[in-house]
Amino acid sequence: MADISLVTDSLRAHPAAGAWLLRVRRRGYQRVMVIHTQINLYYFWEKRWFFIAMALGAFMLTLPLPDGLSRDGMIVLTMSVVATILFVTEPVPLPTVALLIVVGQILLLGIDSTKVAKSLMTDSVLFIMGSLMLAVAVVKQKLDKRIAWLIVRFTGTKTSRICFGISVVSGLLASFIGEHTVAAMMLPVGMILISLTSDDPKKVRNLAAVLLFSICYGASVAGIGTPSGGARNAIMIGYWKEFFYDPTDPDSARFLIDYLRWMTFAYPMFLLQLPLVTLVLLFTFRPEYRDLSRAVAKLRTQVREEGPMKPGDWVSLVFFIIILWAWIFLSVDIGMGTVAILGACAFLIAGLVKWEDLNSGVNWGVVLLYAAAISLGVEMKITGAATWVAESFLTLLTPIGADQGIGLWVAVSALTTGVTNTMSNGAAVAVLGPIVLNLASAAGESPIVIGFITAVSSAFAYLTVVGTPACTIVYASGYLKTTDFLTVGWRMVIVSVVVMLAAASFYWPLLET
């Protein structure tokens, strides 16, 4: 009967198979083989999306090559489709998807394994890794409690106001220093409020979603506010100058978009979206607690027990200010990832955090996931798959009358939104920028308006974990599921598109004249 015990132990992990346990107890050993069959059926049902994705990928690879798409491009496109399905449905752990992307590039594209390995460790990946390390260091020094306390002192204890306050702080910071940095800094703040409310993640499931999405979405909508808010903004500014500015033509000077003029176009849109972020999140998840008085009381008690800031706290604060300064002023020369890693090293050298803390506190699977996603995005660009998708999509616009006006705006926004949810927003603008700007000229549309629509839409990476590092960082908390991004993401896309179209229709034309 030991075999039956082993089988029933396995079945206990699968609630749907509970009825078979009763049958085993009643009928005895002869039912073991039937139970194994049930386990196998349950396994295939649980993993069905994995097998569906793989079957779809195999089918796509057997299709004839479309005009203008290379064989390698078709392979990369297939890998992207399969990876996206697995990202969304999560039938296997997401780091597994990352490993499959790595293996796929080697076996299907024939790329040398050393080259693939090098493509995984970009500056963006170093930034994600270093940022997660810094987040652990902030928690270790309990600076997150002090920052959270400062926020709730201004907002009060109501959940809606705290969420709005977190979005405002995240947004204002992200509009100048980049959403990646802010997400890494604010993640511990959100997590301390969640943990003080309840130690059981199941009891604060929706509250956690609202607080954490307030961080990443508040930062995402703010990334469009200034040229320093994201690489996509600087890329589009460079395209306008390269494509349309002629030193001999004074009228073309309007295509030289400086820091202040960009803010004039984009900052009001960011400010308008901030309260909408909170409304969408509260409507979607409906947090279990409308008031966080108990958590705030615990937070106040803990901050008081900590007493005045100790020398180590002040050193940590100085380190963090230096890191922020370096992100703003030095990252252009040495990279944001280098700054993040140096910051983590500073905390380790000063003895403010131990390596054991970083090793256990950092979600290394998330680092691998983002690394593989970036690597695949690079191959999308190199093989021409991204360009082919963009051009193919745009050729469909003319028959449906979407080759000008609002129809064109919506189509460009939809294309950019789709692309930016599968690769970095900077890469999305780099690939799509030349296409949509040339399309604007051919259609008689304003290149400035179309350019802003493209740059702004690249911030709508609300739908996937890998759409932006800000989403990846909050996902690393362990409180969110990949389906949560879809659940709230499509609502955020609609709200953001409506706000953007209103700006393109009524506000931006006034600034061009």
Side-chain angles (χ1 to χ4, degrees), residues 365-439:
V366 169
V367 177
L368 177 61
L369 174 66
Y370 195 71
I374 290 179
S375 178
L376 186 59
V378 170
E379 290 301 322
M380 282 279 288
K381 182 178 179 181
I382 292 175
T383 61
T387 301
W388 179 86
V389 171
E391 293 175 345
S392 300
F393 181 80
L394 294 175
T395 57
L396 301 176
L397 302 181
T398 302
I400 60 175
D403 56 340
Q404 59 184 354
I406 293 181
L408 177 61
W409 299 350
V410 172
V412 169
S413 179
L415 174 63
T416 307
T417 300
V419 172
T420 196
N421 275 278
T422 58
M423 65 171 66
S424 70
N425 47 43
V429 172
V431 171
L432 298 178
I435 298 171
V436 298
L437 291 178
N438 287 327
L439 181 67

Side-chain angles (χ1 to χ4, degrees), residues 176-304:
F176 292 99
I177 61 177
E179 61 193 75
H180 322 62
T181 307
V182 175
M185 182 176 69
M186 293 295 293
L187 176 61
V189 176
M191 292 185 66
I192 190 65
L193 290 171
I194 297 167
S195 62
L196 288 177
T197 302
S198 176
D199 293 330
D200 186 355
K202 295 181 180 179
K203 294 182 179 179
V204 287
R205 177 79 176 80
N206 290 346
L207 175 65
V210 170
L211 290 174
L212 295 177
F213 277 118
S214 293
I215 295 172
C216 67
Y217 284 175
S220 292
V221 299
I224 65 171
T226 68
S228 60
R232 58 180 176 266
N233 305 338
I235 291 172
M236 184 55 68
I237 289 174
Y239 280 151
W240 277 323
K241 181 179 180 180
E242 181 180 346
F243 285 20
F244 301 106
Y245 175 63
D246 182 358
T248 63
D249 181 8
D251 291 337
S252 67
R254 64 192 179 95
F255 293 105
L256 297 177
I257 307 295
D258 58 18
Y259 203 97
L260 182 60
R261 193 172 181 216
W262 181 285
M263 287 186 64
T264 305
F265 271 86
Y267 218 81
M269 181 180 167
F270 145 60
L271 295 176
L272 182 59
Q273 285 190 92
L274 274 179
L276 297 178
V277 168
T278 301
L279 290 175
V280 169
L281 291 176
L282 292 175
F283 176 79
T284 302
F285 293 106
R286 301 187 184 278
E288 296 85 353
Y289 298 85
R290 295 185 177 181
D291 191 281
L292 300 183
S293 299
R294 293 178 60 185
V296 172
K298 293 179 183 177
L299 178 64
R300 179 170 60 248
T301 301
Q302 291 184 9
V303 171
R304 286 178 177 175

Side-chain angles (χ1 to χ4, degrees), residues 320-331:
F320 209 79
I321 291 174
I322 293 174
I323 293 168
L324 289 176
W325 177 86
W327 267 329
I328 297 171
F329 296 104
L330 300 182
S331 60

Side-chain angles (χ1 to χ4, degrees), residues 355-368:
W355 174 252
E356 290 75 12
D357 299 322
L358 299 184
N359 191 39
S360 61
V362 173
N363 190 330
W364 299 104
V366 169
V367 177
L368 177 61

